[in-house]
Structures are given as C-alpha cells and as structure tokens.
Amino acid sequence: MTRYKQTGQSLKQRGAYWITRAGEIMDRYPIHILGVIVLFGLLLSTTIILADPPSMESGSTDSWWVISLNLIHGQGYSLCIPRYFPFCEIGNQTTAAREPVPVLLFALVAKLSNESLWAATAFELLIYLSVLICVYLLTLEWANRRAALIAAFLWTIYLPAVDLIPQVSGDLLGAFFVTFGMLFVLRSRKTNRIKDWVIAGAGLGLGVLSRSAILTIPAILMGGLIVERWRQGRNLLDIVKSSLILFGMASLIMLPWIVRNQISLGRPLLGSSLVGYNIFRQSYALTTDNYLHFIDGVDGAEAVQELLIERKKDLSGMENEAQMDVIYKAEAIKIIRSHPFKYMLSSSVF
C-alpha cells in the first residue's frame, strides 16, 4: 500500500511540475504559442474543407449565398424558398429571411471572385481565425495570458464552428462581431472612454445584423452595466451613460435595416422574417405523439402545406414574407397554448 501511495505522490508531483512548466512557457512565449494555435486552426479547418467541399447544399448556403447573388445580379434583396415562404412567385420575392451584414459582405466576395463558393469559404475561414484572435484578446482583457491561450485553443477545436466554414452563413460573422463588441465593453469598463463605448456598441449592432439571435446579448450587457454602476454608488448619469451609448450606437447601426423592412415589407422587422416560421415549425411537433423529435425542413414543408389548407379561406396568396411571419407566429402560439405540457417538456429537453 505504501508503495502505491508513493507512486501516486510521485505522479502528482510530476503532473504538478509539468503544469507549472507549461504555465511558465505560456507566460514567456504567448505570441509564439498563439501563432501555433492559429496554424493548428488553419490545418484543422483546411482538413474539414477538403473533406466537405463547399456546395449549394452545404448548410444554409442556398439562402445566404442566393440573396447575395441576386443583389449583384440586380434582382434586389430577394429570395424564393417555397418550403418556407410558399407565395414567393415573381414579384413577391422581397425577403428579410437573412440578416444584411453577411449578405452584403458575401455579395462583395461574389462580385470580386466571379461568384466562387471557394472564395466565400476562404472568407469564412478568415472570419473563423479572426474570432480566434478576438477570443484571445477578450479573455486576456478579462483574465490573464494563460487563460487567453486556453480559450483561443478551445475555440480552435470547437467543431460546430469549424463545420460552418465550408458553408455560407452569418453565424461566424455574428460570433466575430459579438466577441469584438464584448472585448470593447470590458475595455471600456476600465478606460470609460466614449470612443471605446461607441466601438463596443457598433460591434454589438453589427452582430445583431449578422444573426438577430444575438440581440439578447446587448440587452444583458446593458442591464449588467446598470446594476454594476448602481452597486458602486454612482450618480444617475454615470449609471446609465455607458448603457445609453451602447444602446444608441447599436440602434443607429440597426436603423437602416428596420426602415428598409418597413418600406419593403410593411413591418419594421428588427431581425429576420424567419422567426415566426421557425417557432411554427418546431411547435408543429406538439400536435403529434412524437413531439420530442426535431422538425427538419421536409417536415416543416408538410406543416406549412397543412397550414395553407386550414387557412386557405383567410389567405389571398398575395401575402409577403412579413405578413406570413405574423401568421406563423399566431399559429405557433395557438399550438403552444393547446399543448402547454408538451411545450414545457420539449423546451426542457432541447
């Protein structure tokens, strides 16, 4: 027993030594290690890309990329995916299904690259590596170099992010902007410079216009800042100033998209017109016995067709995306209210 105990203590000592040694190396050569992490990320992502080359069937490429191509072809901000919006005939393809910042950037990439999906993938790879650097800087601002290097490495091996590289979407770009914005929020808490708060607000606003689900993050940050400064005993102006700057800058960034949607679709959509459809598609499962399974696009198309049959007397067939979004939301709420227990159970599972 003593022999085993001595062996265990020896292993612990060796482990402690190598952990300490690794920490010293990270402290001494942080930039070199970060460079190795970037190279590893480049190697990993290249392997994923070669194993799964970009195509129109990759992820949501058939929506993001198509809108970008329609823009450079002079067809406006338009899209036609009947399984989502069944009335998208010629003359009724104005869309808000995808947020504008990624679409505009990918339109530029398509214009410069002769519509090459490989160029779009290279751009996604650049964004992925940029997020890596932002994660490093964000963690460095919050903690120390060791934690920053570990966080950067964890992002590098985060496979759901790597899998996004061969497809055209706004997810990686949204991750970049929200990480960039949060970096400047942390920096602004130390400097309290208006310039830094403005940059933070701009980053968060661009994040929302890349993936509207990010909208909750600025709201939480602003609430947290107000609580933090209130607990510090500051005066009212100091309590709300930083949050007002964040809100004002983010709102200014988002305003053109809101106005465009009001003019084009008749509703001031803040994010995407896919929200109602997604809620309806997933709540549709509650009407079945197998309500815990994920409703994919095929099942979603069937749900939409059933809805059209049920509501055919109420629909003219001339509704635009924003009007259908309202219908989807109303139907989803109706289903959820009819099956509250199933809804709570499925929400807790997912």
Side-chain angles (χ1 to χ4, degrees), residues 119-138:
T121 297
F123 182 57
E124 289 276 38
L125 174 57
L126 179 63
I127 298 169
Y128 161 78
L129 295 176
S130 299
V131 176
L132 188 158
I133 301 300
C134 275
V135 167
Y136 172 80
L137 294 174
L138 171 63

Side-chain angles (χ1 to χ4, degrees), residues 89-143:
E89 299 175 355
I90 296 175
N92 193 16
Q93 296 185 11
T94 300
T95 189
R98 297 301 182 187
E99 293 83 353
V101 172
V103 168
L104 295 174
L105 289 175
F106 281 116
L108 178 61
V109 171
K111 187 73 172 177
L112 295 176
S113 67
N114 196 26
E115 304 179 13
S116 169
L117 272 176
W118 282 97
T121 297
F123 182 57
E124 289 276 38
L125 174 57
L126 179 63
I127 298 169
Y128 161 78
L129 295 176
S130 299
V131 176
L132 188 158
I133 301 300
C134 275
V135 167
Y136 172 80
L137 294 174
L138 171 63
T139 312
L140 183 62
E141 192 76 37
W142 177 42

Side-chain angles (χ1 to χ4, degrees), residues 33-195:
I33 297 173
L34 180 62
V36 171
I37 294 173
V38 170
L39 289 175
F40 176 74
L42 186 59
L43 177 62
L44 177 62
S45 55
T46 301
T47 303
I48 295 292
I49 293 169
L50 294 177
D52 183 20
S55 71
M56 289 300 294
E57 289 72 41
S58 302
S60 301
T61 301
D62 62 347
S63 56
W64 295 94
W65 188 243
V66 170
I67 301 174
S68 298
L69 295 182
N70 286 344
L71 273 176
I72 65 175
H73 292 161
Q75 297 172 15
Y77 206 97
S78 61
L79 178 69
C80 183
I81 301 181
R83 69 176 185 271
Y84 149 61
F85 177 47
F87 303 138
C88 60
E89 299 175 355
I90 296 175
N92 193 16
Q93 296 185 11
T94 300
T95 189
R98 297 301 182 187
E99 293 83 353
V101 172
V103 168
L104 295 174
L105 289 175
F106 281 116
L108 178 61
V109 171
K111 187 73 172 177
L112 295 176
S113 67
N114 196 26
E115 304 179 13
S116 169
L117 272 176
W118 282 97
T121 297
F123 182 57
E124 289 276 38
L125 174 57
L126 179 63
I127 298 169
Y128 161 78
L129 295 176
S130 299
V131 176
L132 188 158
I133 301 300
C134 275
V135 167
Y136 172 80
L137 294 174
L138 171 63
T139 312
L140 183 62
E141 192 76 37
W142 177 42
N144 53 53
R145 293 192 185 277
R146 296 183 186 184
L149 289 170
I150 293 171
F153 178 71
L154 290 176
W155 167 259
T156 304
I157 61 173
Y158 183 54
L159 292 181
V162 181
D163 286 340
L164 288 169
I165 297 174
Q167 55 181 280
V168 177
S169 77
D171 296 288
L172 285 176
L173 199 62
F176 168 75
F177 281 123
V178 76
T179 307
F180 179 83
M182 291 176 69
L183 165 64
F184 271 87
V185 167
L186 286 182
R187 187 165 295 176
S188 301
R189 289 171 65 244
K190 296 177 181 178
T191 66
N192 206 30
R193 294 183 301 194
I194 293 179
K195 178 182 72 173

Side-chain angles (χ1 to χ4, degrees), residues 101-319:
V101 172
V103 168
L104 295 174
L105 289 175
F106 281 116
L108 178 61
V109 171
K111 187 73 172 177
L112 295 176
S113 67
N114 196 26
E115 304 179 13
S116 169
L117 272 176
W118 282 97
T121 297
F123 182 57
E124 289 276 38
L125 174 57
L126 179 63
I127 298 169
Y128 161 78
L129 295 176
S130 299
V131 176
L132 188 158
I133 301 300
C134 275
V135 167
Y136 172 80
L137 294 174
L138 171 63
T139 312
L140 183 62
E141 192 76 37
W142 177 42
N144 53 53
R145 293 192 185 277
R146 296 183 186 184
L149 289 170
I150 293 171
F153 178 71
L154 290 176
W155 167 259
T156 304
I157 61 173
Y158 183 54
L159 292 181
V162 181
D163 286 340
L164 288 169
I165 297 174
Q167 55 181 280
V168 177
S169 77
D171 296 288
L172 285 176
L173 199 62
F176 168 75
F177 281 123
V178 76
T179 307
F180 179 83
M182 291 176 69
L183 165 64
F184 271 87
V185 167
L186 286 182
R187 187 165 295 176
S188 301
R189 289 171 65 244
K190 296 177 181 178
T191 66
N192 206 30
R193 294 183 301 194
I194 293 179
K195 178 182 72 173
D196 291 337
W197 286 116
V198 167
I199 294 173
L204 295 172
L206 290 170
V208 173
L209 289 186
S210 298
R211 287 304 270 164
S212 51
I214 290 172
L215 184 62
T216 56
I217 295 177
I220 292 171
L221 287 173
M222 287 186 284
L225 286 168
I226 289 173
V227 171
E228 178 188 51
R229 300 198 164 203
W230 173 72
R231 293 184 65 182
Q232 291 173 348
R234 302 197 184 192
N235 61 52
L236 181 61
L237 179 60
D238 283 341
I239 289 173
V240 300
K241 183 175 75 171
S242 56
S243 294
L244 287 176
I245 295 173
L246 280 179
F247 176 78
M249 193 61 202
S251 299
L252 188 63
I253 293 288
M254 292 185 285
L255 184 61
W257 177 244
I258 298 172
V259 172
R260 176 264 177 190
N261 290 332
Q262 174 65 55
I263 294 171
S264 300
L265 295 169
R267 285 185 61 212
L269 291 171
L270 178 59
S272 155
S273 58
L274 272 171
V275 175
Y277 166 77
N278 287 333
I279 298 173
F280 168 72
R281 192 178 85 178
Q282 295 309 315
S283 63
Y284 175 76
L286 303 179
T287 63
T288 68
D289 293 332
N290 186 17
Y291 58 91
L292 295 180
H293 81 287
F294 175 77
I295 301 292
D296 59 16
V298 176
D299 292 336
E302 293 180 2
V304 170
Q305 288 304 311
E306 286 189 21
L307 173 63
L308 294 180
I309 293 172
E310 291 177 5
R311 296 286 298 269
K312 62 182 178 181
K313 293 182 180 179
D314 304 328
L315 302 176
S316 66
M318 300 299 293
E319 286 81 4

